[in-house]
Amino acid sequence: QVQLVESGGGLVQAGGSLRLSCAASGSIFSINHMGWYRQAPGKQRELVAAITSGGSTNYADSVKGRFTISRDNAKNTLYLQMNNLKPEDTAVYYCNAEGLVTTRLGPPRIVTPYDTWGQGTQVTVSS
């Protein structure tokens, strides 16, 4: 199947920056939609930013102008550059990917859809 591994979280002061990475591995046939989500204590998981295979992006209003999502399709890696961090950005950040995975090499090749989450990385912003 497909595995996602996030990295880059940590503790930073307000106004600082962090860059998150999410590396996808496995029998990947394609990665279509990728996104970053976050979940703060006592709150529901929310979308932070998303990007399509073609590079179209969308952001939560709370992070527009501060966060930038990007992807390296050759490396199957997703990034989130976070600038001017605020205490309210404190949360566990999760990577999500959707696409097709090869379940049989074939012939004929068989692919099936997947929707996979990473294990999460903690981001803490101190005031």
Side-chain angles (χ1 to χ4, degrees), residues 39-45:
Q39 187 167 18
K43 295 187 177 181
Q44 290 189 333
R45 190 173 297 189

Side-chain angles (χ1 to χ4, degrees), residues 1-125:
Q1 296 301 316
V2 177
Q3 296 81 38
L4 302 177
V5 178
E6 299 107 332
S7 61
L11 174 64
V12 64
Q13 289 188 334
S17 298
L18 284 173
R19 188 191 195 207
L20 305 183
S21 298
C22 171
S25 62
S27 303
I28 299 170
F29 181 78
S30 68
I31 303 178
N32 301 325
H33 177 279
M34 299 188 81
W36 288 100
Y37 293 73
R38 66 187 181 188
Q39 187 167 18
K43 295 187 177 181
Q44 290 189 333
R45 190 173 297 189
E46 62 176 1
L47 174 68
V48 175
I51 186 168
T52 66
S53 57
S56 296
T57 60
N58 68 286
Y59 296 90
D61 288 342
S62 60
V63 307
K64 283 181 181 177
R66 300 188 298 123
F67 291 9
T68 302
I69 189 171
S70 62
R71 59 190 285 177
D72 184 332
N73 291 328
K75 295 182 178 179
N76 289 334
T77 301
L78 178 70
Y79 304 99
L80 185 68
Q81 178 66 44
M82 305 186 293
N83 297 328
N84 190 21
L85 282 160
K86 303 176 181 181
E88 51 263 43
D89 295 318
T90 295
V92 178
Y93 284 69
Y94 297 91
C95 173
N96 173 261
E98 299 175 15
L100 296 172
V101 60
T102 297
T103 53
R104 174 181 158 181
L105 289 174
R109 179 192 295 264
I110 297 178
V111 296
T112 57
Y114 66 87
D115 184 345
T116 301
W117 292 87
Q119 82 288 351
T121 185
Q122 177 70 46
V123 171
T124 303
V125 184

